[in-house]
Amino acid sequence: MSTTQPTSASPNPPANARLASHPHGAPSSAAGKHPAPPCTLVIFGAGGDLTKRLLMPALYNLAVDGLLDDGMKIIGVNHGEHETGQWREGLHDALQKFAADKASTFHAGKLDDHAWNWVAQRLHYMAGEFEDDDTYQRLAQQLGGDAQGNVVFYLAVGARFFKPIVERLGKAGLLKQDANGGGPFRRVVIEKPFGADLASARDLNQHILSFADESQIYRIDHFLGKDTVQSILAIRFANAMFEPIWRREYIDSVQITASEVIGVEGRGRFYEQTGAFRDMVPNHLFQLLCMVAMEPPNSFDAEAVRNKKAEVFDAIKPLTPGDVVFGQYGTGPAGVAYRDEPDVAKDSQTPTYAAARVHVDNWRWAGVPFYLRTGKRLAARHTEISVQLRRVPFRLFRDTPVDALTPNVLTLRIDPTHGTSFDFNVKTPGPVMQIGAVQSSFDYDDFFTEQANIGYETLLYDCMLGDQTLFQRADSIETAWAAVDGVLHPGDGAAVRVQAYAAGSEGPAEAEALLAQDGRAWRALTPGEPKKS
Ligand code: BG6
């Protein structure tokens, strides 16, 4: 989200430069943007899924857009005795596969050879154990000694490696940069999960910040890289029609859904320890909540935006076990039970579904519940935010055949469709006053030729530019975990029970009951069809 313009690099767009999908301003071509400054990107976890599925496609897209400097270098560090040629080939095959897969978020079409070769020439593999000091000495040599050149260290590794890697980078002098920010930069990108609760997140922050400054740390939440998520601020603040009604006087409630059709996809080991609530709620879903709830910042400056978000986290009323419902999928129309997935315990109590009622206790939002839900193996894939307005008074219609007025709902669709829909009421044609509920819908695809990016392009590019707007600050990470700590560590006997739901359904019945307590109901995941429970 930076407005900063790098100065040091000359553009070198590979052939076939497509239109840029970066969120600044109206549809613009890559020609209007500058490449990031020259830097070396060191990826720890070069052989992992994240590198293959998200980082490489994003780097390829950035290369196609001409947003990487000619002096860019990418060093992949991983345990395992591969070599550069093998690594490149594996990545090339993976990219080709994703490009051919219509369901993939990598909308590259046919892979452009020129762009791929541009990236491939810059890829270098380095075998090394993450917890071995020798790895860091060799890395230092590859980087040309202490503090030479810009470097971004990307931790695409399991959370248990965050501390040891940052510590060794620090001790090897690889995080040293000019205190006044003048010389080459050293930055560290850290994936989620950032901690597993408040205590571990605090501990992780403390540890990392003893080797690097907060300004060097880029904590990723990939939802913030999505154009449709960044667009929430544009929708709210670049239009006159929303802001006046964006408050408790007019809004009844907000529903935030991230439902998935897929199961744990071979990530049983990770998921058993994490579960749906930790995996999605205090990070991705809270970030969406923040985009809806934050006050307008005075600029897109990183601190201006992050301060406003911090205020929202701070105003979240701590959740109690009574505010959440956990579920776990059993066998159903969509497949086998979670407990029958590989690397999952037969008596697992790990939630694959979580619903929560959240209150933001400030002047704008007091009394407006935010209902959050997420789950795997549900009836449909939707990431969306629905803002339901209050009911209008019925007095005018009392002497007409109209028996009910449905409330207006503004839905911001984030994935897999991208756009907004607005539900409102009109008079149906004919001599009698009757009301019909209609919907007006906008789809990005109908207006813009650019494909939505896969999220990591913006985040990588912003990190190379030094723009932290879309990254999470230490204090906000901790306030988010603090808000859910009462659910993760409830008092004796208050632990949240995990309710069963059938794979392919709308989730557990108890989640319906959570909203029914408040006289509300979840929006159907498959509208028009009877709810599958
Ligand atoms: C990840 C979670 O952070 O986000 C996954 O670990 C989840 O479990 C994924 O599937 C969802 O992201 P997206 O962009 O596919 O909606």
Side-chain angles (χ1 to χ4, degrees):
M1 286 188 102
S2 169
T3 48
T4 321
Q5 299 296 343
T7 50
S8 55
S10 63
N12 177 33
N16 186 29
R18 64 186 180 126
L19 290 175
S21 49
H22 201 261
H24 310 309
S28 61
S29 77
K33 310 253 356 135
H34 297 255
C39 90
T40 301
L41 175 65
V42 178
I43 305 175
F44 287 92
D49 215 45
L50 179 82
T51 303
K52 196 168 60 185
R53 226 170 248 289
L54 297 163
L55 296 186
M56 278 305 147
L59 285 165
Y60 169 88
N61 281 343
L62 285 170
V64 171
D65 283 343
L67 294 177
L68 300 178
D69 187 86
D70 230 3
M72 172 104 193
K73 198 171 157 190
I74 303 163
I75 301 178
V77 183
N78 213 45
H79 34 238
E81 288 302 325
H82 291 290
E83 28 139 272
T84 296
Q86 258 180 315
W87 188 47
R88 280 184 191 154
E89 263 168 47
L91 292 173
H92 181 244
D93 292 352
L95 251 62
Q96 260 185 333
K97 206 176 94 205
F98 300 143
D101 177 3
K102 291 257 179 306
S104 154
T105 45
F106 183 45
H107 309 281
K110 190 181 168 305
L111 224 54
D112 177 70
D113 287 342
H114 182 83
W116 167 252
N117 288 336
W118 190 95
V119 175
Q121 280 162 20
R122 287 162 176 78
L123 295 173
H124 307 273
Y125 186 83
M126 197 191 108
E129 295 295 330
F130 304 147
E131 297 187 77
D132 184 352
D133 293 347
D134 173 62
T135 304
Y136 299 82
Q137 276 154 26
R138 288 187 290 123
L139 191 55
Q141 277 161 15
Q142 287 224 23
L143 293 172
D146 267 3
Q148 297 218 347
N150 299 322
V151 187
V152 171
F153 298 100
Y154 199 113
L155 275 48
V157 294
R160 69 181 186 286
F161 292 117
F162 294 164
K163 274 173 151 188
I165 292 178
V166 175
E167 179 173 335
R168 284 174 176 77
L169 286 173
K171 287 184 173 161
L174 294 173
L175 298 180
K176 252 191 250 151
Q177 59 173 32
D178 249 19
N180 61 16
F185 61 73
R186 295 293 160 114
R187 297 180 184 142
V188 184
V189 182
I190 303 184
E191 273 290 335
K192 65 173 265 287
F194 196 95
D197 58 10
L198 176 59
S200 54
R202 255 188 201 147
D203 175 60
L204 184 55
N205 269 332
Q206 245 172 32
H207 192 81
I208 286 170
L209 294 174
S210 61
F211 296 100
D213 186 73
E214 176 65 24
S215 63
Q216 295 177 274
I217 305 296
Y218 289 69
R219 299 174 193 79
I220 275 211
D221 185 307
H222 81 271
F223 268 43
L224 291 178
K226 294 176 193 264
D227 281 334
T228 38
V229 171
Q230 290 164 36
S231 186
I232 298 170
L233 294 191
I235 290 170
R236 282 189 59 196
F237 301 132
N239 297 294
M241 62 197 281
F242 298 115
E243 200 44 26
I245 57 161
W246 212 257
R247 55 195 68 248
R248 61 185 163 136
E249 288 82 354
Y250 297 96
I251 292 180
D252 169 80
S253 57
V254 178
Q255 290 191 17
I256 302 182
T257 298
S259 61
E260 297 183 278
V261 169
I262 55 168
V264 286
E265 306 279 286
R267 296 198 306 157
R269 197 162 299 143
F270 159 80
Y271 210 75
E272 273 290 84
Q273 286 170 15
T274 313
F277 189 73
R278 285 187 164 96
D279 190 31
M280 300 287 291
V281 177
N283 30 63
H284 298 326
L285 298 193
F286 272 20
Q287 287 296 335
L288 297 184
L289 181 150
C290 256
M291 298 299 253
V292 175
M294 68 192 265
E295 295 298 317
N298 280 346
S299 74
F300 282 117
D301 174 69
E303 286 323 292
V305 174
R306 299 199 304 175
N307 285 342
K308 292 297 174 197
K309 285 174 139 191
E311 285 172 11
V312 177
F313 284 126
D314 206 34
I316 292 179
K317 211 165 135 199
L319 275 68
T320 66
D323 293 321
V324 300
V325 171
F326 286 176
Q328 187 190 81
Y329 61 86
T331 309
V336 299
Y338 172 69
R339 290 177 183 182
D340 292 329
E341 302 270 10
D343 299 320
V344 171
K346 289 289 172 222
D347 58 353
S348 170
Q349 288 298 318
T350 301
T352 59
Y353 176 100
R357 174 179 40 218
V358 179
H359 281 283
V360 179
D361 208 6
N362 61 16
W363 276 94
R364 191 189 278 262
W365 294 112
V368 180
F370 286 74
Y371 298 112
L372 277 43
R373 68 177 155 169
T374 182
K376 302 223 178 256
R377 283 267 187 265
L378 290 170
R381 159 109 165 115
H382 289 296
T383 303
E384 64 176 34
I385 300 169
S386 290
V387 179
Q388 179 168 322
L389 275 74
R390 288 192 185 281
R391 284 177 197 281
V392 295
F394 194 73
R395 175 69 185 93
L396 175 64
F397 298 93
R398 214 166 53 184
D399 299 326
T400 72
V402 175
D403 55 12
L405 292 171
T406 50
N408 299 145
V409 180
L410 173 69
T411 301
L412 309 171
R413 290 180 280 112
I414 292 163
D415 267 326
T417 59
H418 308 129
T420 61
S421 316
F422 186 56
D423 296 335
F424 60 108
N425 298 309
V426 295
K427 179 188 168 301
T428 55
V432 183
M433 172 52 93
Q434 269 297 11
I435 296 292
V438 294
Q439 189 179 68
S440 158
S441 200
F442 146 75
D443 218 282
Y444 279 85
D445 290 350
D446 296 338
F447 281 79
F448 303 106
T449 49
E450 303 92 330
Q451 293 285 358
N453 68 28
I454 59 171
Y456 278 78
E457 295 90 342
T458 310
L459 297 170
L460 282 167
Y461 180 69
D462 281 0
C463 175
M464 290 185 263
L465 288 187
D467 182 348
Q468 291 184 300
T469 314
L470 298 175
F471 296 85
Q472 302 193 75
R473 218 166 54 184
D475 58 335
S476 289
I477 289 261
E478 290 180 22
T479 358
W481 280 118
V484 299
D485 218 48
V487 171
L488 298 174
H489 302 294
D492 282 350
V496 183
R497 289 193 45 201
V498 178
Q499 314 291 343
Y501 64 96
S505 70
E506 299 253 342
E510 289 75 4
E512 292 293 344
L514 181 75
L515 267 67
Q517 284 167 12
D518 299 349
R520 299 189 179 87
W522 290 109
R523 289 169 66 77
L525 293 179
T526 45
E529 290 177 32
K531 279 190 180 178
K532 297 178 216 153
S533 54

